[in-house]
Amino acid sequence: MTGQLTLEAYLQRYSETGPLALMVSAAIDAVATAAVEIADLTSRGHLSEVSGVATGHNSDGDLQHDLDVRTDEILRRYLSRIPIAAVASEEMREAEIRDPSAKICVAIDPLDGSSNIDINMTVGTIFSILPAPDDPTLAFHQRGTAQLAAGFVTYGPQTSLVLTVGEGVDIFTLDRAAGCFKLVRRGVRIAEGADEFAINASNRRHWDPAVRAFIDECVAGVDGPANRDFNMRWIGSLVAETLRILTRGGVFLYPSDARPGYGDGRLRLVYEAHPIAFIVEQAGGSASTGRERVLELAAQNLHQRAPLIMGTRHQVQRIEELHCDPLLVASVSAPLFARRGFFRL
Ligand code: FDP
């Protein structure tokens, strides 16, 4: 235990470190306050008038549930109470420019993993806080390295807030009786020796040879080059997978693959891959596309996708090595197997 420091007291301390930290603290507090309301809403399921039924598609074509829409409204309502130069959400077509004199911008994925809501599985809210550039229309075209803070909330058996302000990763749990988050884990580090991997294996036939080679090594276990057995997990909820990796180590892959529209994987750079990569690196892990560090990428458009391979450092490194393997690289560019070759229309 950590002496039950509340998030409020934690943010008070952090906000005293400078005027920008004060603004960042206000944004984190707004997201956390919204999360208390969202935790209540998601926990009520069919007792609530919004229970996770699909209602249409968002501006980028993803299936949208009534809870996606409601959580977006809740978060934006709390964020509207503080000075923000620009706000972006998975549920918005374009970023909204608000107060050009404000010092920060906020990107959110209001309800990540929402396709799990109807089966009562963990879902979450992801957020990324960036400095406001002189031209606020460029707010969400910055590299991930520019992030001032990032975090996510998981709505599961417990409601947890995972947070980094660039000084390590701390985890808070919602004390429902007290109505506030309390610090439960400070300075989280990703375990090095973990042997769990997470990938949607139904896409195997679409993967690049490097990804296939890595997963084959894991599956081969003690009989293969890894010389040890692995276990597999796939929750289909990025926030839950990230919390598991922060807790037990291991590696998560949502790589690029050959399905139409999946050339950069599935996850969105600005409000999914960037904040998760920042958190993972702050916990001593790595986050890569397989070829480059995720935090070095800058989005060309708000809903741009990026491959995300993250977790225990040496496993991510192994996957990067395989992406550089000359034999595997040659097999990608061979005409029969190339992305746009004979078998990849
Ligand atoms: P969801 O669409 O349910 O919001 O962010 C997208 C995401 O969930 C991730 O949380 C999850 O890791 C991934 O999609 C699951 O994708 P697949 O269904 O392709 O496995």
Side-chain angles (χ1 to χ4, degrees), residues 54-65 68-69 90-91 93:
T55 49
H57 293 85
N58 64 19
S59 61
D60 212 43
D62 287 345
L63 198 62
Q64 192 177 45
H65 300 81
D68 289 314
V69 177
E90 179 174 27
E91 306 309 326
R93 187 177 294 277

Side-chain angles (χ1 to χ4, degrees), residues 62-63 65 68 90 109 111-117 123 126 199-203 234-241 252-254 259 262 266-268 271-272:
D62 287 345
L63 198 62
H65 300 81
D68 289 314
E90 179 174 27
D109 179 354
L111 202 64
D112 179 72
S114 59
S115 55
N116 281 315
I117 199 83
V123 292
I126 310 177
I199 191 165
N200 185 338
S202 68
N203 299 319
W234 184 251
I235 303 172
S237 169
L238 177 62
V239 288
E241 316 267 11
F252 165 98
L253 302 91
Y254 211 119
R259 286 174 292 163
Y262 283 76
R266 174 183 175 112
L267 304 174
R268 312 298 162 148
Y271 42 80
E272 292 182 313

Side-chain angles (χ1 to χ4, degrees), residues 292-309:
E292 57 193 320
R293 186 181 171 215
V294 168
L295 290 182
E296 293 296 339
L297 304 176
Q300 301 296 307
N301 65 71
L302 180 58
H303 300 291
Q304 182 177 321
R305 297 175 182 217
L308 177 63
I309 295 167

Side-chain angles (χ1 to χ4, degrees), residues 51-291:
S51 57
V53 293
T55 49
H57 293 85
N58 64 19
S59 61
D60 212 43
D62 287 345
L63 198 62
Q64 192 177 45
H65 300 81
D66 54 3
L67 265 173
D68 289 314
V69 177
R70 178 60 76 86
T71 52
D72 185 55
E73 281 167 13
I74 294 170
L75 280 153
R76 287 209 266 154
R77 171 157 43 87
Y78 283 98
L79 287 170
S80 69
R81 298 174 185 170
I82 58 165
I84 291 180
V87 66
S89 160
E90 179 174 27
E91 306 309 326
M92 297 160 71
R93 187 177 294 277
E94 304 281 354
E96 183 189 330
I97 308 300
R98 285 194 174 166
D99 174 358
S101 66
K103 300 287 178 237
I104 58 162
C105 307
V106 181
I108 50 170
D109 179 354
L111 202 64
D112 179 72
S114 59
S115 55
N116 281 315
I117 199 83
D118 56 345
I119 54 162
N120 197 10
M121 288 278 286
T122 297
V123 292
T125 295
I126 310 177
F127 63 95
S128 165
I129 303 177
L130 291 149
D134 292 339
D135 176 356
T137 63
L138 300 177
F140 303 107
H141 300 283
Q142 303 182 66
R143 287 177 198 265
T145 47
Q147 291 174 101
L148 301 167
F152 63 87
V153 182
T154 56
Y155 311 106
Q158 302 157 27
T159 294
S160 298
L161 168 67
V162 176
L163 177 66
T164 183
V165 292
E167 297 162 6
V169 175
D170 298 318
I171 302 185
F172 301 78
T173 294
L174 177 61
D175 181 338
R176 287 174 192 268
C180 65
F181 284 94
K182 291 180 177 170
L183 184 62
V184 292
R185 289 169 64 195
R186 192 192 281 274
V188 174
R189 303 298 292 172
I190 293 177
E192 267 301 314
D195 295 329
E196 283 184 334
F197 67 96
I199 191 165
N200 185 338
S202 68
N203 299 319
R204 187 180 190 284
R205 71 188 187 283
H206 305 296
W207 296 338
D208 279 350
V211 171
R212 225 178 293 166
F214 176 74
I215 300 301
D216 286 351
E217 284 184 10
C218 295
V219 172
V222 288
D223 300 326
N227 200 25
R228 59 188 204 281
D229 287 333
F230 287 80
N231 195 9
M232 199 196 89
R233 286 284 179 274
W234 184 251
I235 303 172
S237 169
L238 177 62
V239 288
E241 316 267 11
T242 308
L243 187 57
R244 185 189 63 247
I245 283 173
L246 290 169
T247 306
R248 302 208 297 239
V251 67
F252 165 98
L253 302 91
Y254 211 119
S256 58
D257 68 48
R259 286 174 292 163
Y262 283 76
D264 285 317
R266 174 183 175 112
L267 304 174
R268 312 298 162 148
L269 180 58
V270 172
Y271 42 80
E272 292 182 313
H274 269 169
I276 295 296
F278 188 22
I279 291 162
V280 165
E281 284 201 5
Q282 284 292 314
S286 298
S288 168
T289 64
R291 295 179 175 84

Side-chain angles (χ1 to χ4, degrees), residues 318-333:
R318 175 67 187 141
I319 298 164
E320 286 181 329
E321 279 167 17
L322 290 165
H323 277 86
C324 298
D325 183 304
L327 285 176
L328 294 172
V329 171
S331 69
V332 178
S333 50

